[in-house]
Amino acid sequence: MAEAAESPGDRGRASPRPLMRDLKAVGKKFMHVLYPRKSNTLLRDWDLWGPLILCVTLALMLQRGSADSEKDGGPQFAEVFVIVWFGAVTITLNSKLLGGNISFFQSLCVLGYCILPLTVAMLVCRLVLLAEPGPVNFMVRLFVVIVMFAWSIAASTAFLADSQPPNRKALAVYPVFLFYFVISWMILTFTPQ
Amino acid sequence: MATADELTFHEFEEATNLLVETPDAVTTSRSDQLTPQGHLAVAVGSGSSYGADDEVEEESDKTALLQEKKQQPEFWTFGYYQSFFDVDTSQVLDRIRGSLLPRPGHNFVRHHLRNRPDLYGPFWICATLAFILAVTGNLTLLLAQRRDPSIHYSPQFHKVTVAVITIYCYAWLVPLALWGFLRWRKGVRERMGPYTLLETVCVYGYSLFVFIPTVVLWLIPVPWLQWLFGALALALSAAGLVFTLWPVVREDTRLAAAVLLSVVVLLHALLAMGCKLYFFQLLPPGHLAPLPQATSLSPSMLPPPTLTRSMATF
């Protein structure tokens, strides 16, 4: 994260400002993900706060209750965390090994921020699950998850595809597809206790 | 052939010196060269366990392009690992096609890999297969619950872990064992050396591709159709492996060749059947009604989830 250089005299006054500025930067990137355009903001000023917030939110919402049997339920908090971060690192390594010219943290930043639509889908699914269960309930959730999945892929491809040589774009994009597919699956199969 | 032998031997000497000298020509070939540069990068860079003399026997028909050398990166640099991912989309698709349609004369390593194995295919095919197994196994449970509401549906996330570990261990440890065995037996063979470790891993990785559509087709809840698809996939996959290994083992004794090939096919069959039974087997609905512990549907009988919540999930 880019921090403001503080002179010793400003110590008391300067501390709230970087926090607001960072929050604004995170919010701005959220907007860029929700309305993906060909812009370099996500790549230029990368940060990992947004992905961390999103990952924690998603993991908290996906976490199953402790009353369920350990082996048969949905993912635990740590499992979601591992899948998101390990998956993002693997995709980034894959992209770099194929010869992409994106930096490691830029790629993590993009992949993390593009989980935002799926986090929104998770919120919507949790709300929908408060209604009565049934096939309509499931269809609504399926539709929402599919739309958000497509949105995530479109957003991340818009940022990542240009960094690959043209004859390897599909090789670099496919793991992204698999990554968001697994997260979508976890969201869709979430059953409340 | 004298020229070819000279070039081969010349290259053998060069290979061991490539780490310390800087060659003059640096090229990276893409799709239309038979050069074994990637092959060399593997053999020389790792240093310890590859005998360069194996490479001499294998390169006997690749001599025309041995003029070009590129600098072999050290194994601790990023460039070394990049050489394993030096493939294009069209090449990966061509290799996948080659694994789907094995033909008796066509050796996968020679015709499709052309001695430039990659790690992209094996790694992502294994990842896809593992996740597809877990997802479709769970989908099967979901569809069964729709037909029979007494079945308890749960996301069964632990199966993802099991799938990932199983597939990756199979696709990486079995080739390692096979490679080790072939190298141990190489004293018996005169003509053809064994494949490198990377090529063996590649063959196994691509041969697993045919299981991906098979697993998706296993969603159809007709048992005999499932076994038919499974048998078909196993036949294609094992045929690919056998046709690739045959040129290497046929010079060995009959017994060793037969044992090796049947062990390879047997392990493959065990993998297919194990996946089918673990991820897709549902207890028949008649067993579920009276017993609370029968609501858990994976074959390893888990501690029973509470029965009352099972009806309200979907």
Side-chain angles (χ1 to χ4, degrees), chain B residues 185-258:
Chain B
R185 298 289 299 177
K186 82 177 171 73
V188 182
R189 274 185 302 279
E190 301 92 31
R191 216 159 49 92
M192 189 159 166
Y195 301 127
T196 67
L197 178 60
L198 211 61
E199 286 168 344
T200 324
V201 166
C202 226
V203 169
Y204 262 86
Y206 280 103
S207 77
L208 285 178
F209 179 83
V210 72
F211 285 113
I212 296 179
T214 312
V215 166
V216 174
L217 284 173
W218 276 346
L219 278 173
I220 304 173
V222 178
W224 64 266
L225 208 61
Q226 289 179 338
W227 287 107
L228 179 67
F229 287 138
L232 219 72
L234 178 64
L236 275 177
S237 187
L241 286 176
V242 166
F243 293 150
T244 307
L245 288 174
W246 177 243
V248 178
V249 299
R250 76 176 153 208
E251 289 146 32
D252 212 337
T253 63
R254 275 286 171 119
L255 180 64

Side-chain angles (χ1 to χ4, degrees), chain A residues 3-33:
Chain A
E3 299 285 334
E6 297 179 19
S7 62
D10 294 319
R11 197 150 293 142
R13 216 166 25 98
S15 27
R17 248 191 293 134
L19 179 66
M20 281 313 300
R21 193 193 58 194
D22 291 341
L23 280 177
K24 277 201 198 124
V26 170
K28 193 161 148 226
K29 291 202 194 59
F30 280 166
M31 283 300 127
H32 274 275
V33 171

Side-chain angles (χ1 to χ4, degrees), chain A residues 71-75 79 83 90 94 96-99 133-134 138 141 167-168 170-171 174-175 182 185-186 189, chain B residues 30 78 81-82 85-89 92 120 123-124 128 131 135 138-139 153-158 302 312 314:
Chain A
K71 290 198 77 180
D72 223 14
E79 284 169 339
I83 282 201
T90 310
N94 177 67
K96 288 190 74 69
L97 284 168
L98 283 172
F138 180 69
R141 281 187 292 136
N167 50 347
R168 295 180 178 187
L171 294 186
Y174 170 72
V182 171
W185 177 256
M186 288 197 296
T189 60
Chain B
R30 295 282 167 171
F78 193 68
Y81 299 102
Q82 257 185 323
F85 282 77
D86 194 16
V87 279
D88 298 339
T89 311
V92 172
Y120 178 91
F123 185 80
W124 288 109
T128 311
F131 285 118
V135 165
N138 206 232
L139 255 181
Y153 170 79
S154 65
Q156 292 180 319
F157 191 76
H158 66 284
L302 304 169
F314 275 104

Side-chain angles (χ1 to χ4, degrees), chain A residues 38-52:
Chain A
K38 287 273 180 184
S39 92
N40 277 344
T41 312
L42 239 84
L43 292 179
R44 225 180 24 231
D45 313 319
W46 61 267
D47 73 83
L48 292 179
W49 287 110
L52 184 67

Side-chain angles (χ1 to χ4, degrees), chain A residues 32-112:
Chain A
H32 274 275
V33 171
L34 286 178
Y35 303 107
R37 287 182 298 271
K38 287 273 180 184
S39 92
N40 277 344
T41 312
L42 239 84
L43 292 179
R44 225 180 24 231
D45 313 319
W46 61 267
D47 73 83
L48 292 179
W49 287 110
L52 184 67
I53 294 172
L54 288 171
C55 184
V56 168
T57 314
L58 194 61
L60 280 175
M61 287 198 285
L62 273 174
Q63 189 183 11
R64 60 172 179 262
S66 54
D68 197 0
S69 84
E70 310 89 43
K71 290 198 77 180
D72 223 14
Q76 292 282 23
F77 182 91
E79 284 169 339
V80 177
F81 230 78
V82 161
I83 282 201
V84 169
W85 287 101
F86 191 66
V89 165
T90 310
I91 295 175
T92 306
L93 278 178
N94 177 67
S95 164
K96 288 190 74 69
L97 284 168
L98 283 172
N101 59 6
I102 195 172
S103 93
F104 183 76
F105 287 107
Q106 281 175 347
S107 174
L108 281 188
C109 171
V110 168
L111 288 168

